[in-house]
Amino acid sequence: MTTLLRRLVFLGLLTLSIPAVWAEDTPATTPSAAQASASAADSTAPAAADAAAAPAAPTEPQLIGTDKINSGDTAWMLTSTALVLMMTIPGLALFYGGMVRKKNVLATLMQSFAVTCVVTVLWWLIGYSWAFTPGSAYLGGATRALLNGMTIMKDANKITVSHLALTIPETVYAMFQLTFAIITPALIAGAFADRMKFSAMLVFMSVWSLVVYCPIAHWVWEPSGWLAVKGVLDYAGGTVVHINAGIAGLASCLVLGKRVGYGKEAMPPHNLTLTLIGASLLWVGWFGFNAGSAGAADGRAGMAMAVTQIATAAAALSWMFAEWVVKGKPSVLGIASGAVAGLVAITPASGFVGPAPAVIIGIVAGVVCFLAATSLKSALGYDDSLDAFGVHCIGGIIGAVLTGVFASKEISGADGSVIIQLWGVGTTLIYGFVMSFIILKVIDMTIGLRVTEEQEREGLDLSLHGERVE
């Protein structure tokens, strides 16, 4: 076991060394989601004749006059923040809660709610600063630890803004990004549903958020991050959120092992009404997720909203028809899962593609994620309870790669590259899996990861929380 851990640590360090290989071959930066947010603030740029005299774009948070804040952008971003928070509580909580057995529904809801609380405090403590302030190419600095320096000076008519969103208060930008930091670890819980100790879950989510999520968010969305510099495109979280969470989910499955009775006992969802309501809330909230990543109430936000709706519908239908062909009946769980797969796949592409590519992305995601959640899982034998890996990791990979295929320079100003996108995908997969595996193993060797067989059979609601649904 010691040898295995050494090898995994080596792989993690190797991943961090990848940018050094490219150090002498750095192309011009193409806009990622965070960079797109910053560029939105420049939509009223002066004519080309005056461009040379314009001041350089800011590279760190700064204090500006309140008259430079755009009320329309701010209103939209406040709305988007609320929509994305709704995706976790109650959206994801209900989506996952309906799919587990009745004896585990409260424990599953509790996981999403507790993650929301824990990540919020960590984001205030250091998470935001590590993810979204300049530092190194691999991790931000500590200038916004405890949200220090984020201020409003009413009498002086001054306010701080992030260099990534110049027309909204920095508080709004930080809270918007917090909602992404919340839902990402919450997604992982779908993979280990029914069998992880609550205490172990809290430790894992806390460490993972700081050690895995924050660095990858910095690499991709902070303009000085090494993947952003290389031109990896991720408008709203295909790599940072979905591949990242999905591959951590797979690591959780492998470390924890299968549920008691898996493959021998029926484990049907206890309440698909909750699941469909949860999926519907996710769909509505995702407009804040994708269109909000524009950082402004502008045309690009409108296009992101349009392609999100189109891709989601196409994916839901393609999953439904694939299941109809294979199993003879279209299911409620299938169409809901297909919708989520489409939302996942369009996420990295939403600010870079038009409606026609969105249909293709949705159709591919629906069919491939259906096969991943059924045939692939069965063939490989891992127990991904609620298909976090099959939907989020596989869907995220599809979206990230097809962003490289379909990215429109007319829409975004960015050229897509499948090769560069594959580097972003590969880096996230390696770093995310290795670090997640190590964190899980360390927790397992200290406080233990898994509930006892007796607790699992009794159900986590009673055994861990002393409550149950009657």
Side-chain angles (χ1 to χ4, degrees):
M1 184 62 66
T2 303
T3 301
L4 176 61
L5 286 175
R6 283 203 201 101
R7 290 176 180 172
L8 290 172
V9 172
F10 172 75
L11 284 173
L13 294 173
L14 180 63
T15 303
L16 286 170
S17 72
I18 288 174
V21 177
W22 292 350
E24 298 178 2
D25 180 26
T26 304
T29 303
T30 52
S32 63
Q35 293 164 299
S37 297
S39 67
D42 299 326
S43 58
T44 57
D50 301 322
T59 58
E60 60 184 3
Q62 60 176 303
L63 193 67
I64 66 169
T66 55
D67 61 314
K68 295 180 181 178
I69 295 296
N70 184 296
S71 60
D73 292 348
T74 302
W76 169 236
M77 294 307 295
L78 287 167
T79 303
S80 294
T81 300
L83 286 170
V84 183
L85 181 60
M86 184 184 73
M87 290 171 62
T88 304
I89 49 172
L92 185 69
L94 292 174
F95 182 68
Y96 278 172
M99 284 195 282
V100 297
R101 289 165 288 178
K102 185 177 179 181
K103 63 184 179 180
N104 295 319
V105 60
L106 293 177
T108 303
L109 297 174
M110 179 71 163
Q111 288 172 345
S112 291
F113 207 92
V115 166
T116 299
C117 300
V118 169
V119 174
T120 297
V121 174
L122 293 175
W123 197 246
W124 161 77
L125 184 67
I126 193 64
Y128 171 70
S129 191
W130 277 358
F132 290 104
T133 65
S136 71
Y138 315 114
L139 194 66
T143 56
R144 284 296 187 262
L146 309 181
L147 299 187
N148 179 54
M150 193 181 298
T151 186
I152 299 174
M153 302 168 65
K154 183 177 179 181
D155 292 339
N157 292 319
K158 297 286 186 179
I159 193 168
T160 54
V161 296
S162 168
H163 55 301
L164 302 174
L166 298 174
T167 63
I168 65 174
E170 189 179 7
T171 50
V172 177
Y173 182 74
M175 291 303 99
F176 176 69
Q177 290 298 344
L178 164 62
T179 60
F180 284 64
I182 286 170
I183 197 169
T184 307
L187 291 171
I188 304 171
F192 58 69
D194 297 351
R195 58 201 190 276
M196 185 181 280
K197 292 165 59 177
F198 184 68
S199 57
M201 187 279 297
L202 289 175
V203 174
F204 173 66
M205 295 303 190
S206 299
V207 176
W208 190 90
S209 295
L210 295 178
V211 174
V212 181
Y213 179 82
C214 289
I216 293 181
H218 183 81
W219 299 351
V220 176
W221 285 339
E222 159 61 40
S224 61
W226 73 275
L227 288 179
V229 170
K230 301 315 297 182
V232 171
L233 303 179
D234 184 359
Y235 195 68
T239 50
V240 178
V241 175
H242 297 292
I243 298 175
N244 201 7
I247 197 63
L250 180 61
S252 302
C253 296
L254 298 179
V255 175
L256 276 164
K258 300 175 184 179
R259 287 168 289 178
V260 173
Y262 179 73
K264 301 175 183 178
E265 302 173 8
M267 299 180 180
H270 92 282
N271 192 332
L272 287 178
T273 301
L274 294 182
T275 295
L276 190 62
I277 292 171
S280 302
L281 289 168
L282 285 169
W283 191 332
V284 174
W286 224 287
F287 291 129
F289 203 77
N290 287 355
S293 290
D298 60 10
R300 202 170 180 197
M303 181 63 80
M305 178 175 281
V307 299
T308 297
Q309 178 71 15
I310 293 166
T312 304
L317 292 173
S318 66
W319 183 305
M320 182 190 76
F321 284 118
E323 183 181 45
W324 206 339
V325 169
V326 173
K327 298 187 176 182
K329 293 180 180 179
S331 70
V332 171
L333 180 58
I335 197 169
S337 299
V340 174
L343 290 163
V344 169
I346 197 60
T347 290
S350 55
F352 299 107
V353 304
V359 173
I360 297 171
I361 291 170
I363 292 172
V364 173
V367 173
V368 175
C369 289
F370 165 71
L371 295 173
T374 54
S375 301
L376 179 64
K377 183 166 73 169
S378 177
L380 298 182
Y382 58 88
D383 181 11
D384 181 357
S385 304
L386 309 180
D387 295 312
F389 174 75
V391 172
H392 292 279
C393 189
I394 300 301
I397 291 171
I398 291 167
V401 173
L402 292 183
T403 298
V405 175
F406 294 119
S408 166
K409 192 168 186 178
E410 185 178 55
I411 292 173
S412 65
D415 287 316
S417 166
V418 172
I419 298 301
I420 291 176
Q421 291 301 100
L422 286 172
W423 272 107
V425 169
T427 299
T428 304
L429 288 172
I430 295 171
Y431 183 79
F433 181 84
V434 170
M435 294 306 298
S436 299
F437 194 94
I438 292 172
I439 296 167
L440 288 161
K441 279 293 184 183
V442 171
I443 295 172
D444 195 30
M445 291 186 295
T446 51
I447 65 173
L449 274 177
R450 186 162 179 163
V451 297
T452 65
E453 181 175 339
E454 181 181 352
Q455 289 175 316
E456 190 172 336
R457 289 195 179 279
E458 181 183 30
L460 305 190
D461 291 0
L462 269 176
S463 63
L464 297 186
H465 304 291
E467 302 166 300
R468 67 180 176 186
V469 175
E470 296 295 343

